[in-house]
Amino acid sequence: MKIAVIFKQVPDTEAVIKPDPAKPGAIGEGDIKFVLNPYDEYAVEEALRIVEKSPGEAVGFCIGPERSEAAIRTVLAMGLQRAVWICEPAAVNADVISQGRILAAAIKGFAPDIILCGREVIDTQEDALAAAAAHFLDMPHVLNAAKITIAGDKATVVREVEGASLEIEAQLPAAISCSKGLNEPRYPTLIAIKRAKTKEIKRVTLAELGVQLGPVKSRVAALKSPPPRPKGVRVEGEPAVVAGKGVEWLAATAKVI
Amino acid sequence: MAGILVWAEASNDGIRKAAREAAGVGVKLAEKLNAPLAAVMCADKPDLAAKLGRLGFSKVYAAAGESFSRYSSEAFSAAIAEAGDRLKADIYLLGATALGRDLAARLAARLDAGLATDVTEIQWDSSPLTVVRPVYSGKLLAVTELTAERKVISLRPNVFPAPAEQERSAEVEAISLEDVRIRAQVQKAIQAAQGALDVTEAEIIVSGGRGVGGPEGFKVVEDLARALRGAVGASRAAVDSGWIPYKHQVGQTGKVVSPVLYIACGISGAIQHFAGMGSSKFIIAINTDKEAPIMGKADFSIVGDLFKVVPILKEELGKAMKQ
């Protein structure tokens, strides 16, 4: 099978994120450690498991600025065979639907059976990429997969919604976004990390892809910090006493009960 | 002025709360922009469509038939796009539920629209329409201008008020789609155990972390959640240790929640956890470690052993809830 994996580099979950005072809508990247988007690890792992079972090719596709090379080396070290990289600012700064269009153009020639990506990118919290790429490639999509079973030209996907799990059957080719719990992503071995250095990373431009982006669809005008929480009350002492104070506070201040 | 279309997501027992909240936003925007407003429903429930008048709609597009008995993004987005064409809509509103987000994504691609997901604030008098949505899991808020002609907006549940219901019925216009191709569709739904509330929908969440110590330790957390008719949450540490399934995880790599009350039991409150629950209205933390980050951020922090404090809370609150 041929699997396309869409991935992105994002700030580490433990990073403290602050707006860049000089650039409205951007974050200060100074001290931040960047990593492969955590959900994309599940997509890479799933792709590798699929091609281990049904031989083919698993190729990565990434939109991201120059610093993204580390994340690209990570997915190659995990086992993707090669990667395609679009790093023009126009693509990096595009809205999620336009990025779906760009990735669709980049993926088209590869003609994958399945497109995988993480269920969400944890920086801009966009979760529409799989659906957008699928739309522009005229494929169905399923988001948030907790389990994927492939049989013939169909994938059966289990996903969680509020209060239920859904079983969704998708005709291949299809795009599927991957949730935590789908698998246990592997750690690359030292040998794999070394080997990844010789794997192909192909840079492509929007012009080469024949993509012309229309007028800007959305723009982050500013990033602001959420309002600070008011200083809280602290209690210490006998369990019965502190629990009693908690109940009192809930009734009087929070008015929850 | 072009119109505003609201997706009225149906549940087993009516219109979902998140969809009613989207209706509230639609009504207010329609007033501000002096724009026509309609709802679109994709469900084989004709009687429900007429009832949408109560939420302030005078017009409802109803896509019914076999294709709509089970969810598919292809049929549902086709129906919404068709309703949008008829209304000449340029603003599409959905509740940011699991399926709402799935549908918003496909619809925005189909309409080549500007998409804003999980919106928590709308700047009502802005032009171009400007919305606020959490990014970096709530570590920051992005003030986002939707400059595209067509805009698809999904609204975070529990943030916007649902409109006051009124005695009014809506004119229902049927949409039938002949040749919609459905290549991915829900085959079956396995309902969670009765009474098990999802963290994203709950108004009260009781969460356990490393301090719970193991899967058995979650029992006190679950007991308190049940007494408060709330949902059970968990930190990444507890989920990664295999003590509780992933669907309970709150945080940057789990679910982002905004309940009225969040009770954190034995959770240190690492930055990635706080990112997922920092917008809760009230936070109570119970921890033996007074230096734990969550203790500095909670509205009410109890320094103590959760195994001693939480059962007493359960007793006392359980009594108070019954009154």
Side-chain angles (χ1 to χ4, degrees), chain A residues 11-19 27 38-39 95-97 101 119-120 122-128 131-132 134-136 138-143 159-171 179-181 216-227 229-237 239-240 242-243 245-247 249-250 253-254 256-257, chain B residues 16 73-74 97-99 101-102 105-106 108-110 112-115 117 121 133-148 181 183-192 198 200-201 204 236 240 246-247 249 252-254 261 271-272 274 278 280-284 290 295-303 308-309 312-313 316-317 320-321:
Chain A
D12 184 69
T13 52
E14 295 300 324
V16 175
I17 310 284
K18 297 262 186 256
I27 60 162
Y39 293 115
D95 68 281
V96 64
I97 301 299
R101 185 191 288 281
R119 77 146 217 233
E120 177 177 270
I122 63 162
D123 52 0
T124 55
Q125 287 192 256
E126 300 287 3
D127 61 0
H135 171 76
F136 293 114
D138 192 23
M139 291 178 187
H141 79 261
V142 183
L143 304 187
R159 72 156 295 174
E160 298 284 337
V161 297
E162 299 84 0
S165 352
L166 303 181
E167 197 178 289
I168 299 166
E169 200 176 88
Q171 180 72 44
S179 178
K180 182 171 174 174
V216 173
K217 290 201 241 303
S218 62
R219 191 178 80 86
V220 177
L223 287 173
K224 55 183 190 181
S225 298
R229 297 194 69 93
K231 196 172 156 37
V233 179
R234 169 160 311 177
V235 293
E236 226 171 316
V242 293
K245 284 182 180 164
V247 173
W249 179 85
L250 276 170
T253 310
V256 172
I257 52 166
Chain B
R16 287 191 66 156
S73 65
E74 290 163 299
T97 58
L99 294 185
R101 295 182 71 144
D102 186 278
R106 190 82 186 195
R110 186 180 188 116
D112 205 21
L115 172 67
T117 45
E121 189 187 324
R133 53 185 297 271
V135 289
Y136 303 93
S137 302
K139 290 176 191 171
L140 290 177
L141 301 171
V143 180
T144 307
E145 292 176 357
L146 292 169
T147 46
R181 248 187 328 162
R183 295 164 294 182
Q185 188 171 30
V186 172
Q187 298 303 316
K188 60 180 178 198
I190 303 128
Q191 301 299 325
D198 189 82
T200 54
E201 292 197 306
I204 297 177
R236 185 168 75 189
D240 286 352
Y246 170 59
K247 66 180 178 190
Q249 185 179 323
Q252 195 166 10
T253 51
L261 176 62
I271 186 163
Q272 76 87 21
F274 193 76
S280 304
K281 192 159 181 215
F282 295 106
I283 299 170
I284 295 186
K290 62 176 91 170
M295 302 293 272
K297 288 168 177 161
D299 301 290
F300 194 88
S301 57
I302 298 174
V303 184
K308 291 189 178 133
V309 175
I312 304 173
L313 273 180
E316 296 297 319
L317 291 172
M321 293 288 279

Side-chain angles (χ1 to χ4, degrees), chain A residues 79-113:
Chain A
L80 296 191
Q81 278 131 307
R82 58 189 173 88
V84 177
W85 183 14
I86 304 121
C87 66
E88 278 170 273
V92 172
N93 299 325
D95 68 281
V96 64
I97 301 299
S98 301
Q99 288 193 338
R101 185 191 288 281
I102 295 163
L103 287 161
I107 290 169
K108 193 167 192 223
F110 176 53
D113 299 291

Side-chain angles (χ1 to χ4, degrees), chain A residues 239-240 242-243, chain B residues 208-224 243 264-266 286-288 302-314:
Chain A
V242 293
Chain B
R210 206 187 296 277
V212 165
E216 313 77 34
F218 262 95
K219 192 171 176 304
V220 295
V221 172
E222 285 158 5
D223 285 348
L224 179 57
W243 301 344
C265 309
I286 302 150
N287 208 305
T288 47
I302 298 174
V303 184
D305 179 353
L306 74 95
F307 291 104
K308 291 189 178 133
V309 175
V310 174
I312 304 173
L313 273 180
K314 189 207 101 179

